[in-house]
Amino acid sequence: MSDAPAETIVRAENIERVYGSGENKVYALRGVSFDVPSGMFVALKGRSGSGKTTLINCIGGLDKPTSGRVILFGHPINDYSEAQMTELRRHKIGFVFQSFSLVPTFTAFENVELSLRLAGAPAKERSRRAQECLDLVGVGKWARHMPFELSGGQQQRVAIARALANSPRLILADEPTGELDSHTARQVLGLLRDLAHQQDVAILMATHDPLSLEYADQVFELKDGKLDAVHARQHVVH
Ligand code: ADP
Ligand code: MG
């Protein structure tokens, strides 16, 4: 990382998200504010139903806050059209999900290459970069394999390679270790932490996995749609 002050990649300003209306109103987020600087691995912790997925989706423009603002890379996204938001997601944000969400009929390589294709990268560059990303996350030699031939941990690495393909400044991960055993979860968490630090990517990860707290630089705790506490990393992981 450089010595320059870290750029603010995500700014959440007083985000509220209310679902439904009348007696069926659900207050998923009740005024959440925080910043995520570049190069920082931030965990968003909280029980099931505390609003983690809603918050990740609002930040990635997959859902819209009822009030408050999301500012990405210095620009408020509230007024972006769906087309502008799709463009931003394709080029500047990587997503990682609990269930990997790989295309089952594509090889590992093709899954990564697809996100480069969607972003309009030329064919030669796509091949080079897809292999580079698979190598970076440690599954380079599995490039020609189909997802069903890979373990859960390997599939999640491919999904992380896909998220990295377009060199995003931001990765949003929703329970990325939710389907992994604890040994594999540690490897994936270590990988995410290293990527944040070495590639200068901001990573915001929703999780209820207690292991995550050993790897994240910062932990935001959500309780009933509110930010309850912010912790700096307490453990040193070697
Ligand atoms: P988490 O990811 O922490 O488990 P969620 O963000 O999924 O939490 O959910 C937060 C709250 O919002 C929950 O009470 C959930 O039932 C509610 N919720 C989420 N999405 C919707 C929706 N589309 N419609 C109605 N309620 C929703
Ligand atoms: Mg969730």
Side-chain angles (χ1 to χ4, degrees):
M1 278 195 289
S2 73
D3 292 333
E7 183 188 343
T8 300
I9 301 294
V10 176
R11 170 160 288 172
E13 284 181 356
N14 206 19
I15 298 189
E16 298 188 318
R17 180 63 171 104
V18 186
Y19 290 111
S21 59
E23 284 181 11
N24 300 320
K25 267 190 183 174
V26 177
Y27 291 85
L29 299 173
R30 303 167 185 260
V32 177
S33 302
F34 60 82
D35 283 357
V36 183
S38 63
M40 181 85 89
F41 182 27
V42 175
L44 188 60
K45 161 190 164 179
R47 292 184 180 177
S48 179
S50 58
K52 302 182 298 296
T53 295
T54 304
L55 187 53
I56 292 273
N57 288 346
C58 285
I59 288 168
L62 301 166
D63 191 2
K64 275 195 190 308
T66 308
S67 66
R69 293 206 302 175
V70 174
I71 299 167
L72 296 183
F73 319 109
H75 303 284
I77 62 166
N78 295 53
D79 300 331
Y80 277 26
S81 67
E82 198 41 57
Q84 284 173 307
M85 203 55 229
T86 302
E87 208 44 27
L88 189 70
R89 274 197 297 271
R90 276 185 186 159
H91 292 272
K92 295 206 169 168
I93 308 175
F95 288 88
V96 179
F97 304 98
Q98 177 172 349
S99 52
F100 323 135
S101 303
L102 299 174
V103 179
T105 53
F106 278 14
T107 63
F109 177 88
E110 288 164 344
N111 268 280
V112 180
E113 202 232 359
L114 177 62
S115 63
L116 289 151
R117 192 183 304 216
L118 290 171
K124 210 170 159 191
E125 167 61 12
R126 292 203 301 264
S127 294
R128 188 197 64 74
R129 179 67 182 159
Q131 188 61 47
E132 182 177 71
C133 290
L134 289 166
D135 289 340
L136 186 65
V137 302
V139 288
K141 62 180 185 191
W142 298 96
R144 305 291 158 191
H145 289 255
M146 306 300 284
F148 74 85
E149 298 176 299
L150 305 177
S151 68
Q154 288 168 332
Q155 289 184 62
Q156 194 58 299
R157 284 172 188 267
V158 174
I160 293 168
R162 177 184 56 188
L164 280 170
N166 293 306
S167 308
R169 303 294 313 284
L170 171 63
I171 290 181
L172 297 173
D174 194 354
E175 307 275 5
T177 62
E179 292 184 15
L180 306 177
D181 63 75
S182 64
H183 175 71
T184 311
R186 281 186 182 278
Q187 292 180 336
V188 166
L189 291 167
L191 172 64
L192 290 172
R193 179 196 55 199
D194 293 347
L195 291 172
H197 297 174
Q198 290 160 15
Q199 310 286 316
D200 202 24
V201 189
I203 303 184
L204 180 63
M205 170 183 72
T207 184
H208 62 254
D209 184 343
L211 279 180
S212 307
L213 315 183
E214 293 178 36
Y215 291 82
D217 298 311
Q218 240 184 14
V219 179
F220 298 159
E221 193 170 346
L222 263 185
K223 250 188 199 153
D224 300 328
K226 276 196 191 140
L227 210 55
D228 193 57
V230 178
H231 315 275
R233 184 156 60 94
Q234 289 164 350
H235 307 267
V236 176
V237 179
H238 300 286

